[in-house]
Amino acid sequence: MHFIDGSAVHVYPPQDERPHPPGPDESWQESFVIYWYDPETRVGGGFRLGTEPNHEGGRSQFLIMLLTPEGAYRRITCVPSQPGDVSADGVASGDGTLRYRFDGERIYWTLQEAGVAVSLTVELTVPPVNAHRRAGIGSAEAVMSAHVDAACKVTGSVMLEGRAYAVDGFGIRDHAWGNRDLSTLRSHRWLIADMGDGDTFVAMTFLSADDTLAKFGWMIRGNTVHLASHVATRAHVDDDGATAWGGTLAMTLDTGESIEARFDPVYRPFGLGWTFIHPTFYTDAYCRVTIGERTGFGIFEASANIRGGTLIPATTDGAIVRDGFHPDVRPL
């Protein structure tokens, strides 16, 4: 792959889809993330599995979110690391319920716990590129480290509350490893979308504790990465001041082309709380993304920690913050 100016894009080799040897810093972490949504069955979800070998004696932090027409399921927790959690080709949560594996061509996710079972196969339709190295992230380096954001195809099955669902739809994956110090983060937006026709894009903004505001983005078309010269996001935020349930993106590419994208939620409640991660509260909205007449799937992630506080939100106006099954959640 290349940038429009002909210079090379950094593409990670296949072995980087597997776990990496940890560094010595307490903030070193490696995280594997997958989001998916099937617009035909309206079934979707998200997993995040993070290993923190030097934090509190070693732990895994994981998120489980499932969205079905009959309700949603959420579980977010941290558990102590166990011997064998990290293997040559994958990683498991400390309690063994959530697993990630790469066989050299495809990624496999499995979840098995009481009343819930998921099996997913991830086809890597976009190479694992790191466009951040050319995107002028500046003060965001402490947050990003090595990082991959890419569209993919997800197929598989979900079983929840005795109901079985097939999955064949859009996917978005995120893989990062290295030191991650979220105490430097005051707010951010992470927008990523797969338009289903070979066009995928990423847009990010970071407000850091040193009052630096970084904005960057890119679009992948075929074998070319187009960097953005202008990025502006607008989040739709509920009355709790934190839950972002979608929004808009204006992005100008290095070709001069203007991209206007709208992120509309596909479920209500709109977002999910990513609990506190050293010490930032996230919401992620699963969205239908519209550019002109075209539609795709994307995630609108946002955080708001302007004062650098440490209070975990107990009440939200739209985000799911309680673990367990939520029969009141429905597709829009």
Side-chain angles (χ1 to χ4, degrees), residues 139-182:
S139 61
E141 290 178 354
V143 177
M144 300 306 299
S145 59
H147 209 277
V148 173
D149 303 286
C152 53
K153 179 176 176 57
V154 176
T155 57
S157 61
V158 173
M159 192 278 289
L160 177 63
E161 294 291 304
R163 295 177 181 265
Y165 308 90
V167 175
D168 184 359
F170 295 97
I172 290 169
R173 65 192 189 92
D174 175 324
H175 181 199
W177 62 97
N179 297 342
R180 177 172 291 189
D181 182 7
L182 293 184

Side-chain angles (χ1 to χ4, degrees), residues 27-51:
S27 70
W28 194 95
Q29 68 91 51
E30 182 160 24
S31 56
F32 302 87
V33 180
I34 185 71
Y35 298 95
W36 75 92
Y37 182 69
D38 184 334
E40 296 297 322
T41 61
R42 296 188 294 179
V43 173
F47 295 151
R48 181 185 189 273
L49 179 52
T51 61

Side-chain angles (χ1 to χ4, degrees), residues 1 25 52 55 57 108 114 117 127 141 215 247 285 289 329:
M1 300 191 74
D25 197 277
E52 299 178 328
H55 188 81
Y108 301 91
E141 290 178 354
K215 301 183 180 185
V289 181
V329 178

Side-chain angles (χ1 to χ4, degrees), residues 97-297:
T97 58
L98 182 63
R99 296 180 180 272
Y100 165 100
R101 183 174 65 86
F102 177 67
D103 70 357
E105 294 184 359
R106 297 175 180 85
I107 293 170
Y108 301 91
W109 284 90
T110 56
L111 167 66
Q112 188 71 54
E113 58 183 21
V116 185
V118 180
S119 178
L120 301 176
T121 299
V122 179
E123 300 281 349
L124 309 183
T125 58
V126 174
V129 302
N130 188 345
H132 304 88
R133 295 191 175 191
R134 280 280 306 278
I137 63 174
S139 61
E141 290 178 354
V143 177
M144 300 306 299
S145 59
H147 209 277
V148 173
D149 303 286
C152 53
K153 179 176 176 57
V154 176
T155 57
S157 61
V158 173
M159 192 278 289
L160 177 63
E161 294 291 304
R163 295 177 181 265
Y165 308 90
V167 175
D168 184 359
F170 295 97
I172 290 169
R173 65 192 189 92
D174 175 324
H175 181 199
W177 62 97
N179 297 342
R180 177 172 291 189
D181 182 7
L182 293 184
S183 67
T184 66
L185 189 64
R186 291 295 176 262
S187 69
H188 87 286
R189 305 286 186 262
W190 178 69
L191 283 61
I192 180 169
D194 179 4
M195 300 308 296
D197 57 1
D199 284 5
T200 66
F201 66 84
V202 177
M204 299 188 190
T205 68
F206 288 89
L207 176 63
S208 300
D210 63 2
D211 294 324
T212 299
L213 180 59
K215 301 183 180 185
F216 51 97
W218 62 87
M219 174 169 276
I220 297 177
R221 286 176 170 162
N223 199 43
T224 304
V225 178
H226 301 268
L227 291 178
S229 58
H230 169 77
V231 171
T233 69
R234 298 291 181 268
H236 300 311
V237 178
D238 266 335
D239 292 338
D240 59 20
T243 302
W245 51 268
T248 61
L249 167 68
M251 186 164 66
T252 303
L253 302 181
D254 48 15
T255 59
E257 178 185 359
S258 295
I259 303 295
E260 302 283 341
R262 190 176 76 246
F263 286 68
D264 296 309
V266 294
Y267 268 78
R268 173 77 192 206
F270 298 119
L272 68 96
W274 277 61
T275 194
F276 252 30
I277 305 179
H278 310 307
T280 302
F281 175 78
Y282 292 82
T283 59
D284 285 79
Y286 294 72
C287 292
R288 179 181 300 105
V289 181
T290 304
I291 301 177
E293 299 298 318
R294 300 154 57 203
T295 60
F297 168 68

